[in-house]
Short mmCIF file of all heavy atoms in Angstrom, two decimals:
data_model
loop_
_atom_site.label_atom_id
_atom_site.label_comp_id
_atom_site.label_asym_id
_atom_site.label_seq_id
_atom_site.Cartn_x
_atom_site.Cartn_y
_atom_site.Cartn_z
N ARG N 285 0.80 -1.24 -0.02
CA ARG N 285 0.02 0.04 -0.02
C ARG N 285 0.95 1.32 0.01
O ARG N 285 0.69 2.20 -0.72
CB ARG N 285 -0.88 0.02 1.24
CG ARG N 285 -1.96 1.07 1.25
CD ARG N 285 -3.04 0.80 2.17
NE ARG N 285 -2.66 0.52 3.59
CZ ARG N 285 -2.87 -0.63 4.13
NH1 ARG N 285 -3.51 -1.58 3.57
NH2 ARG N 285 -2.40 -0.90 5.39
N ALA N 286 1.96 1.24 0.75
CA ALA N 286 2.77 2.47 0.89
C ALA N 286 3.53 2.72 -0.47
O ALA N 286 3.76 3.78 -0.90
CB ALA N 286 3.84 2.30 2.00
N LEU N 287 3.95 1.56 -1.10
CA LEU N 287 4.67 1.68 -2.40
C LEU N 287 3.67 2.08 -3.46
O LEU N 287 4.03 2.97 -4.33
CB LEU N 287 5.32 0.30 -2.72
CG LEU N 287 6.49 -0.15 -1.86
CD1 LEU N 287 6.95 -1.56 -2.21
CD2 LEU N 287 7.59 0.87 -1.95
N HIS N 288 2.49 1.55 -3.45
CA HIS N 288 1.51 1.96 -4.43
C HIS N 288 1.23 3.37 -4.43
O HIS N 288 0.92 4.06 -5.48
CB HIS N 288 0.26 1.11 -4.23
CG HIS N 288 -0.85 1.41 -5.37
ND1 HIS N 288 -0.66 0.79 -6.70
CD2 HIS N 288 -1.86 2.15 -5.32
CE1 HIS N 288 -1.70 1.23 -7.40
NE2 HIS N 288 -2.47 2.05 -6.63
N SER N 289 1.29 4.01 -3.27
CA SER N 289 0.95 5.42 -3.10
C SER N 289 2.01 6.21 -3.96
O SER N 289 1.75 7.46 -4.31
CB SER N 289 1.04 5.87 -1.68
OG SER N 289 2.36 5.85 -1.21
N VAL N 290 3.24 5.72 -4.22
CA VAL N 290 4.21 6.37 -4.97
C VAL N 290 4.38 5.93 -6.42
O VAL N 290 4.41 6.69 -7.40
CB VAL N 290 5.56 6.31 -4.33
CG1 VAL N 290 6.72 7.00 -5.11
CG2 VAL N 290 5.51 6.99 -2.93
N LEU N 291 4.31 4.53 -6.54
CA LEU N 291 4.55 4.00 -7.82
C LEU N 291 3.26 3.69 -8.64
O LEU N 291 3.42 3.51 -9.91
CB LEU N 291 5.22 2.62 -7.63
CG LEU N 291 6.61 2.65 -6.84
CD1 LEU N 291 7.11 1.24 -6.67
CD2 LEU N 291 7.57 3.55 -7.38
N SER N 292 2.08 3.73 -8.03
CA SER N 292 0.79 3.49 -8.67
C SER N 292 0.80 2.33 -9.48
O SER N 292 1.29 1.29 -9.00
CB SER N 292 0.53 4.75 -9.52
OG SER N 292 -0.73 4.66 -10.01
N THR N 293 0.39 2.37 -10.75
CA THR N 293 0.34 1.15 -11.61
C THR N 293 1.47 1.30 -12.69
O THR N 293 1.42 0.56 -13.71
CB THR N 293 -1.06 1.09 -12.34
OG1 THR N 293 -1.25 2.26 -13.09
CG2 THR N 293 -2.18 0.84 -11.29
N LYS N 294 2.44 2.12 -12.48
CA LYS N 294 3.56 2.20 -13.45
C LYS N 294 4.35 0.90 -13.59
O LYS N 294 4.43 0.12 -12.68
CB LYS N 294 4.51 3.28 -12.97
CG LYS N 294 4.03 4.70 -12.98
CD LYS N 294 5.04 5.69 -12.47
CE LYS N 294 4.62 7.18 -12.56
NZ LYS N 294 3.56 7.37 -11.59
N THR N 295 4.78 0.67 -14.76
CA THR N 295 5.44 -0.58 -15.20
C THR N 295 6.99 -0.27 -15.41
O THR N 295 7.39 0.94 -15.46
CB THR N 295 4.91 -1.22 -16.35
OG1 THR N 295 5.07 -0.38 -17.50
CG2 THR N 295 3.31 -1.56 -16.23
N LEU N 296 7.77 -1.33 -15.61
CA LEU N 296 9.16 -1.17 -15.91
C LEU N 296 9.37 -0.48 -17.27
O LEU N 296 10.38 0.17 -17.49
CB LEU N 296 9.80 -2.46 -15.89
CG LEU N 296 11.37 -2.52 -16.01
CD1 LEU N 296 11.98 -1.82 -14.72
CD2 LEU N 296 11.99 -3.88 -16.05
N GLY N 297 8.34 -0.52 -18.13
CA GLY N 297 8.48 0.09 -19.40
C GLY N 297 7.86 1.47 -19.39
O GLY N 297 7.70 2.14 -20.49
N SER N 298 7.48 2.06 -18.24
CA SER N 298 6.87 3.39 -18.20
C SER N 298 7.82 4.51 -18.64
O SER N 298 9.05 4.52 -18.43
CB SER N 298 6.46 3.67 -16.74
OG SER N 298 6.11 5.03 -16.62
N GLN N 299 7.24 5.36 -19.45
CA GLN N 299 8.04 6.57 -19.85
C GLN N 299 8.34 7.52 -18.78
O GLN N 299 9.05 8.51 -18.96
CB GLN N 299 7.22 7.21 -21.02
CG GLN N 299 7.11 6.43 -22.28
CD GLN N 299 6.40 7.17 -23.41
OE1 GLN N 299 6.02 8.35 -23.31
NE2 GLN N 299 6.32 6.58 -24.57
N ASP N 300 7.70 7.29 -17.63
CA ASP N 300 8.04 8.24 -16.48
C ASP N 300 9.42 7.89 -15.84
O ASP N 300 10.03 8.66 -15.04
CB ASP N 300 6.98 8.08 -15.40
CG ASP N 300 5.62 8.54 -15.76
OD1 ASP N 300 5.62 9.54 -16.60
OD2 ASP N 300 4.67 8.06 -15.33
N ILE N 301 10.00 6.81 -16.24
CA ILE N 301 11.34 6.37 -15.70
C ILE N 301 12.40 7.19 -16.49
O ILE N 301 12.37 6.99 -17.68
CB ILE N 301 11.66 4.83 -15.80
CG1 ILE N 301 10.54 4.07 -14.99
CG2 ILE N 301 13.03 4.44 -15.31
CD1 ILE N 301 10.72 2.59 -15.10
N ARG N 302 13.22 8.00 -15.81
CA ARG N 302 13.95 8.94 -16.52
C ARG N 302 15.40 8.44 -16.78
O ARG N 302 16.12 9.09 -17.55
CB ARG N 302 14.06 10.20 -15.60
CG ARG N 302 12.69 10.81 -15.47
CD ARG N 302 12.55 11.88 -14.40
NE ARG N 302 13.60 12.91 -14.35
CZ ARG N 302 13.43 14.11 -13.78
NH1 ARG N 302 12.34 14.43 -13.18
NH2 ARG N 302 14.49 14.98 -13.84
N THR N 303 15.80 7.31 -16.17
CA THR N 303 17.10 6.85 -16.45
C THR N 303 17.16 5.34 -16.33
O THR N 303 16.13 4.70 -16.11
CB THR N 303 18.15 7.41 -15.42
OG1 THR N 303 19.47 7.19 -15.72
CG2 THR N 303 17.87 7.03 -14.00
N GLY N 304 18.31 4.69 -16.44
CA GLY N 304 18.42 3.31 -16.35
C GLY N 304 18.05 2.87 -14.92
O GLY N 304 18.56 3.50 -13.96
N LEU N 305 17.44 1.72 -14.82
CA LEU N 305 16.92 1.22 -13.57
C LEU N 305 17.14 -0.24 -13.51
O LEU N 305 16.93 -1.09 -14.44
CB LEU N 305 15.45 1.50 -13.25
CG LEU N 305 14.84 0.80 -12.13
CD1 LEU N 305 15.41 1.38 -10.78
CD2 LEU N 305 13.28 1.02 -12.10
N ALA N 306 17.77 -0.77 -12.33
CA ALA N 306 18.05 -2.23 -12.14
C ALA N 306 17.47 -2.61 -10.77
O ALA N 306 17.92 -1.95 -9.77
CB ALA N 306 19.48 -2.62 -12.35
N ILE N 307 16.73 -3.65 -10.77
CA ILE N 307 16.11 -4.18 -9.50
C ILE N 307 16.58 -5.58 -9.27
O ILE N 307 16.37 -6.42 -10.18
CB ILE N 307 14.58 -4.05 -9.47
CG1 ILE N 307 14.20 -2.61 -9.64
CG2 ILE N 307 13.90 -4.59 -8.25
CD1 ILE N 307 12.63 -2.39 -9.89
N HIS N 308 17.14 -5.90 -8.09
CA HIS N 308 17.64 -7.20 -7.80
C HIS N 308 16.71 -7.97 -6.87
O HIS N 308 16.18 -7.44 -5.88
CB HIS N 308 18.97 -7.08 -7.20
CG HIS N 308 20.01 -6.43 -7.93
ND1 HIS N 308 20.01 -4.95 -8.19
CD2 HIS N 308 21.01 -6.81 -8.68
CE1 HIS N 308 21.03 -4.58 -8.95
NE2 HIS N 308 21.63 -5.76 -9.33
N ALA N 309 16.42 -9.23 -7.21
CA ALA N 309 15.53 -10.07 -6.41
C ALA N 309 16.11 -11.53 -6.50
O ALA N 309 16.99 -11.81 -7.28
CB ALA N 309 14.05 -9.96 -6.91
N LYS N 310 15.50 -12.42 -5.59
CA LYS N 310 15.86 -13.77 -5.62
C LYS N 310 14.70 -14.59 -5.91
O LYS N 310 13.70 -14.60 -5.14
CB LYS N 310 16.44 -14.13 -4.26
CG LYS N 310 16.81 -15.60 -4.03
CD LYS N 310 18.06 -16.10 -4.89
CE LYS N 310 18.45 -17.47 -4.42
NZ LYS N 310 19.65 -17.88 -5.15
N ARG N 311 14.68 -15.39 -7.01
CA ARG N 311 13.63 -16.31 -7.32
C ARG N 311 13.84 -17.68 -6.60
O ARG N 311 14.81 -18.35 -7.00
CB ARG N 311 13.52 -16.55 -8.81
CG ARG N 311 12.22 -17.35 -9.11
CD ARG N 311 12.04 -17.50 -10.66
NE ARG N 311 11.03 -18.49 -10.87
CZ ARG N 311 10.69 -18.90 -12.11
NH1 ARG N 311 11.23 -18.49 -13.12
NH2 ARG N 311 9.65 -19.85 -12.22
N ILE N 312 13.23 -17.85 -5.49
CA ILE N 312 13.58 -18.99 -4.64
C ILE N 312 13.12 -20.34 -5.27
O ILE N 312 13.79 -21.32 -4.92
CB ILE N 312 12.90 -18.75 -3.19
CG1 ILE N 312 13.59 -19.58 -2.10
CG2 ILE N 312 11.35 -19.00 -3.27
CD1 ILE N 312 15.01 -19.12 -1.89
N ASP N 313 12.13 -20.41 -6.09
CA ASP N 313 11.73 -21.69 -6.55
C ASP N 313 12.63 -22.28 -7.56
O ASP N 313 12.69 -23.50 -7.88
CB ASP N 313 10.20 -21.70 -7.15
CG ASP N 313 10.16 -20.66 -8.31
OD1 ASP N 313 10.50 -19.42 -8.08
OD2 ASP N 313 9.66 -20.95 -9.38
N THR N 314 13.43 -21.36 -8.22
CA THR N 314 14.44 -21.87 -9.18
C THR N 314 15.92 -21.68 -8.65
O THR N 314 16.85 -22.15 -9.23
CB THR N 314 14.31 -21.19 -10.46
OG1 THR N 314 14.53 -19.71 -10.35
CG2 THR N 314 13.03 -21.51 -11.23
N GLY N 315 16.04 -20.94 -7.53
CA GLY N 315 17.33 -20.66 -6.88
C GLY N 315 18.15 -19.71 -7.70
O GLY N 315 19.35 -19.63 -7.50
N SER N 316 17.49 -18.92 -8.53
CA SER N 316 18.32 -17.95 -9.38
C SER N 316 18.25 -16.42 -8.86
O SER N 316 17.06 -16.09 -8.39
CB SER N 316 17.77 -18.05 -10.82
OG SER N 316 16.33 -17.84 -10.92
N ALA N 317 19.27 -15.77 -9.00
CA ALA N 317 19.26 -14.42 -8.64
C ALA N 317 18.89 -13.57 -9.90
O ALA N 317 19.46 -13.73 -10.94
CB ALA N 317 20.57 -13.91 -8.15
N TRP N 318 17.85 -12.78 -9.70
CA TRP N 318 17.26 -12.03 -10.84
C TRP N 318 17.83 -10.52 -10.77
O TRP N 318 17.83 -9.97 -9.66
CB TRP N 318 15.84 -12.03 -10.90
CG TRP N 318 15.11 -13.18 -11.52
CD1 TRP N 318 15.49 -14.47 -11.55
CD2 TRP N 318 13.86 -13.16 -12.25
NE1 TRP N 318 14.77 -15.29 -12.22
CE2 TRP N 318 13.71 -14.51 -12.71
CE3 TRP N 318 13.03 -12.09 -12.65
CZ2 TRP N 318 12.53 -14.86 -13.48
CZ3 TRP N 318 11.89 -12.54 -13.39
CH2 TRP N 318 11.61 -13.83 -13.85
N VAL N 319 18.16 -10.03 -11.91
CA VAL N 319 18.34 -8.58 -12.07
C VAL N 319 17.47 -8.13 -13.28
O VAL N 319 17.69 -8.60 -14.31
CB VAL N 319 19.86 -8.17 -12.25
CG1 VAL N 319 20.46 -8.82 -13.36
CG2 VAL N 319 19.95 -6.62 -12.51
N VAL N 320 16.48 -7.27 -13.04
CA VAL N 320 15.59 -6.79 -14.10
C VAL N 320 15.94 -5.34 -14.31
O VAL N 320 15.91 -4.57 -13.45
CB VAL N 320 14.11 -7.00 -13.54
CG1 VAL N 320 13.12 -6.61 -14.62
CG2 VAL N 320 13.86 -8.42 -13.08
N THR N 321 16.08 -5.01 -15.63
CA THR N 321 16.41 -3.74 -16.01
C THR N 321 15.38 -3.19 -17.05
O THR N 321 14.66 -4.03 -17.66
CB THR N 321 17.74 -3.61 -16.63
OG1 THR N 321 17.78 -3.98 -18.05
CG2 THR N 321 18.80 -4.42 -15.84
N ASN N 322 15.43 -1.84 -17.31
CA ASN N 322 14.49 -1.26 -18.22
C ASN N 322 15.34 -0.99 -19.55
O ASN N 322 14.89 -0.08 -20.38
CB ASN N 322 13.95 0.05 -17.76
CG ASN N 322 15.06 1.15 -17.46
OD1 ASN N 322 16.19 0.83 -17.15
ND2 ASN N 322 14.60 2.35 -17.55
N HIS N 323 16.46 -1.76 -19.76
CA HIS N 323 17.17 -1.53 -21.10
C HIS N 323 16.25 -2.22 -22.17
O HIS N 323 16.03 -3.37 -22.13
CB HIS N 323 18.46 -2.16 -20.96
CG HIS N 323 19.46 -1.66 -22.06
ND1 HIS N 323 19.15 -1.85 -23.45
CD2 HIS N 323 20.58 -0.94 -21.99
CE1 HIS N 323 20.15 -1.31 -24.13
NE2 HIS N 323 21.04 -0.73 -23.30
N PRO N 324 15.89 -1.38 -23.23
CA PRO N 324 15.08 -1.89 -24.22
C PRO N 324 15.57 -3.17 -25.01
O PRO N 324 14.79 -3.90 -25.65
CB PRO N 324 14.76 -0.79 -25.15
CG PRO N 324 15.20 0.52 -24.32
CD PRO N 324 16.20 -0.09 -23.40
N LEU N 325 16.93 -3.32 -24.99
CA LEU N 325 17.52 -4.33 -25.74
C LEU N 325 17.82 -5.64 -24.88
O LEU N 325 18.25 -6.66 -25.40
CB LEU N 325 18.87 -3.91 -26.48
CG LEU N 325 18.77 -2.68 -27.42
CD1 LEU N 325 20.23 -2.40 -27.95
CD2 LEU N 325 17.83 -3.04 -28.52
N GLY N 326 17.40 -5.54 -23.65
CA GLY N 326 17.52 -6.67 -22.80
C GLY N 326 16.83 -7.92 -23.28
O GLY N 326 15.64 -7.74 -23.91
N MET N 327 17.30 -9.06 -23.09
CA MET N 327 16.65 -10.34 -23.61
C MET N 327 15.14 -10.51 -23.24
O MET N 327 14.40 -10.85 -24.11
CB MET N 327 17.46 -11.54 -23.13
CG MET N 327 16.91 -12.90 -23.59
SD MET N 327 17.91 -14.30 -23.00
CE MET N 327 19.38 -14.15 -23.94
N TYR N 328 14.82 -10.14 -22.07
CA TYR N 328 13.48 -10.41 -21.67
C TYR N 328 12.58 -9.15 -21.46
O TYR N 328 11.43 -9.22 -21.02
CB TYR N 328 13.46 -11.18 -20.28
CG TYR N 328 14.11 -12.46 -20.30
CD1 TYR N 328 15.38 -12.65 -19.72
CD2 TYR N 328 13.59 -13.55 -20.98
CE1 TYR N 328 16.05 -13.98 -19.76
CE2 TYR N 328 14.24 -14.82 -21.09
CZ TYR N 328 15.47 -14.93 -20.42
OH TYR N 328 16.06 -16.18 -20.54
N TYR N 329 13.18 -7.97 -21.87
CA TYR N 329 12.38 -6.78 -21.74
C TYR N 329 11.23 -6.72 -22.59
O TYR N 329 10.14 -6.35 -22.14
CB TYR N 329 13.34 -5.60 -22.10
CG TYR N 329 12.68 -4.26 -22.02
CD1 TYR N 329 12.54 -3.64 -20.73
CD2 TYR N 329 12.24 -3.63 -23.16
CE1 TYR N 329 11.80 -2.39 -20.71
CE2 TYR N 329 11.46 -2.35 -23.03
CZ TYR N 329 11.37 -1.80 -21.78
OH TYR N 329 10.69 -0.58 -21.72
N ASP N 330 11.40 -7.16 -23.98
CA ASP N 330 10.23 -7.26 -24.78
C ASP N 330 10.39 -8.35 -25.76
O ASP N 330 10.74 -8.13 -26.97
CB ASP N 330 10.08 -5.87 -25.60
CG ASP N 330 8.89 -5.71 -26.38
OD1 ASP N 330 7.96 -6.52 -26.09
OD2 ASP N 330 8.73 -4.91 -27.27
N PRO N 331 10.26 -9.54 -25.25
CA PRO N 331 10.47 -10.76 -26.13
C PRO N 331 9.51 -10.84 -27.33
O PRO N 331 8.48 -10.08 -27.28
CB PRO N 331 10.29 -11.99 -25.18
CG PRO N 331 9.46 -11.41 -24.14
CD PRO N 331 9.80 -9.95 -23.86
N PRO N 332 9.70 -11.53 -28.33
CA PRO N 332 8.87 -11.75 -29.51
C PRO N 332 7.44 -12.07 -29.10
O PRO N 332 7.20 -12.65 -28.05
CB PRO N 332 9.49 -12.86 -30.27
CG PRO N 332 10.93 -12.80 -29.83
CD PRO N 332 10.97 -12.47 -28.55
#
């Protein structure tokens, strides 16, 4: 609720993001460390 008050429904592809952004998380069911960025050429940013 507190985060939503600032971030609302904005997505990683939002034009409101003014610079490069990287968010780090841990996907526990696969044991993989995730880093998600808003770079348009990233492999999973906008797949086919």
Side-chain angles (χ1 to χ4, degrees):
R285 187 163 55 241
L287 293 174
H288 183 79
S289 70
V290 174
L291 306 179
S292 186
T293 58
K294 293 182 177 68
T295 66
L296 190 64
S298 171
Q299 295 185 355
D300 292 329
I301 301 177
R302 296 165 50 159
T303 190
L305 173 63
I307 297 173
H308 300 77
K310 174 75 173 184
R311 187 175 170 189
I312 200 68
D313 58 308
T314 60
S316 53
W318 275 36
V319 53
V320 184
T321 80
N322 65 332
H323 198 298
L325 299 180
M327 178 179 292
Y328 300 109
Y329 180 79
D330 190 17

